[in-house]
Amino acid sequence: MTLLVSWIGVDDKKNGKSVASLYIASDSRYSWGKYGKYDYGIKVFGSTRYPDIFGFCGDVLFPSIVFGQLIPQIDSGLIFNDSDIGEIKNKKFCDFLRTSLESYPKEQLAGSFTILHGTRISKEFKCYKTTYSTLYGLKNIEIRLPSFSTKVCSEGSGKNEFDKNFAIWESEKHNNHRTSRGVYHCLITTLNNIKDLQTGGKPQIVGLYRVSNMRLFGIVDNGQKYIYGKESSENIFSSTVEWRNENFERVNPETMKLFTGAQRQPI
């Protein structure tokens, strides 16, 4: 079922604290029980035209098919409008999901699934969680975003291990208590030591800031670069995405070191 995590970064403004960033991250493993695994599976998505990001866990095939159809249509301007508020965009997404599900053979669904939808209207961030099970069908809720940096949701078969580890970062004595990077540290720690066989591979992350649309993050680990869990050994144009190391620090993809003047973060 994998591990799906979302968190926010909050900063201080003149009118008080406000959300400055929203992230959705996952591991990269597709698994078929004892029949095999694939650690390059895409589980997070985003629009280049609108500030909307998504991630899923649970059943693999149906959500993959849905996002393969949904994202190109969003980017082509066929589903969302510039005037849509967050609730409207989320409703349109749920309607798209529901009509797709109606035609899908239910016997081919490998259990339940959960989808997170993050969006931003002007400077206001929203996050929604949609779940499906054969018993309860589709359910959708808005996740309340607090006024401090923290995890806002964790789902999947790796959730228990992640939440147990995150209790360490939630301690007020921890250097990264209530920081965005603290959630990422916990994600890395969990994936590096995961016992759940359905969870594995490198992390993959999409995010939203106060400006622009989806940000895709590349991962630097032990001197290697990864995109969507796959090592980028090909001659890619690395400067087109942000690269983060194990401390969630911005890294120059050419030198594999912190950008000049970047402040190191406590572990």
Side-chain angles (χ1 to χ4, degrees), residues 61 85 88 98-99 105 108 220 259:
L61 184 57
I85 61 174
I88 296 299
R98 185 175 294 104
T99 55
Q108 298 303 319
V220 173
F259 278 105

Side-chain angles (χ1 to χ4, degrees), residues 52-265:
D52 289 86
I53 56 176
F54 305 86
F56 76 84
C57 67
D59 177 77
V60 167
L61 184 57
F62 175 73
S64 296
I65 292 172
V66 167
F67 284 113
Q69 294 180 330
L70 178 71
I71 298 301
Q73 292 188 53
I74 291 177
D75 286 345
S76 296
L78 298 175
I79 297 179
F80 293 165
N81 295 319
D82 292 340
S83 60
D84 287 344
I85 61 174
E87 290 81 359
I88 296 299
K89 288 198 285 186
N90 182 248
K91 182 182 184 302
K92 287 182 176 181
F93 161 67
C94 288
D95 289 343
F96 188 96
L97 192 64
R98 185 175 294 104
T99 55
S100 299
L101 194 58
E102 287 172 356
S103 301
Y104 195 81
K106 304 302 185 293
E107 65 274 10
Q108 298 303 319
L109 279 170
S112 61
F113 61 80
T114 298
I115 296 175
L116 297 180
H117 173 201
T119 187
R120 189 196 73 242
I121 304 300
S122 185
K123 305 297 183 182
E124 183 182 12
F125 293 80
K126 299 274 189 178
C127 189
Y128 302 88
K129 180 173 76 171
T130 305
T131 58
Y132 172 81
S133 68
T134 53
L135 183 60
Y136 297 106
L138 278 176
K139 301 291 183 182
N140 187 69
I141 63 168
E142 181 177 351
I143 299 173
R144 185 187 69 84
L145 301 182
S147 59
F148 52 87
S149 302
T150 188
K151 175 198 79 171
V152 296
C153 187
S154 55
E155 299 289 337
S157 57
K159 168 183 170 62
N160 290 340
E161 290 182 64
F162 177 88
D163 288 351
K164 182 178 179 180
N165 291 332
F166 191 64
I168 299 173
W169 275 268
E170 284 191 305
S171 169
E172 293 183 2
K173 297 180 180 180
H174 198 285
N175 287 333
N176 288 316
H177 171 64
R178 289 190 175 179
T179 63
S180 177
R181 63 183 176 272
V183 186
Y184 182 72
H185 291 176
C186 183
L187 176 63
I188 289 291
T189 298
T190 302
L191 292 181
N192 286 341
N193 300 280
I194 196 76
K195 295 182 177 63
D196 175 45
L197 297 180
Q198 295 178 301
T199 305
K202 300 300 181 181
Q204 49 187 259
I205 308 173
V206 290
L208 293 174
Y209 293 158
R210 287 196 178 104
V211 296
S212 192
N213 301 321
M214 174 199 68
R215 302 289 182 100
L216 172 63
F217 294 89
I219 304 300
V220 173
D221 184 37
N222 290 323
Q224 302 296 325
K225 294 182 288 187
Y226 297 86
I227 294 287
Y228 291 121
K230 187 179 186 298
E231 183 179 346
S232 299
S233 55
E234 298 85 355
N235 185 24
I236 63 172
F237 297 103
S238 299
S239 61
T240 60
V241 301
E242 285 191 31
W243 293 86
R244 300 296 180 105
N245 64 11
E246 66 278 5
N247 293 326
F248 212 50
E249 299 160 324
R250 291 191 66 195
V251 174
N252 185 322
E254 304 302 325
T255 65
M256 308 293 275
K257 297 179 180 179
L258 297 186
F259 278 105
T260 303
Q263 181 180 0
R264 288 195 173 274
Q265 303 295 345

Side-chain angles (χ1 to χ4, degrees), residues 20-59:
S21 55
L22 170 65
Y23 306 91
I24 296 177
S26 174
D27 70 325
S28 297
R29 176 165 295 175
Y30 287 178
S31 60
W32 295 268
K34 63 181 180 180
Y35 297 105
K37 64 183 181 181
Y38 181 69
D39 284 345
Y40 302 156
I42 299 179
K43 300 179 183 178
V44 296
F45 305 83
S47 171
T48 57
R49 180 165 180 161
Y50 292 95
D52 289 86
I53 56 176
F54 305 86
F56 76 84
C57 67
D59 177 77

Side-chain angles (χ1 to χ4, degrees), residues 9-20 123 146-149 210:
V10 172
D11 62 11
D12 290 305
K13 305 297 287 184
K14 291 182 179 179
N15 296 327
K17 295 181 179 294
S18 63
V19 178
K123 305 297 183 182
S147 59
F148 52 87
S149 302
R210 287 196 178 104

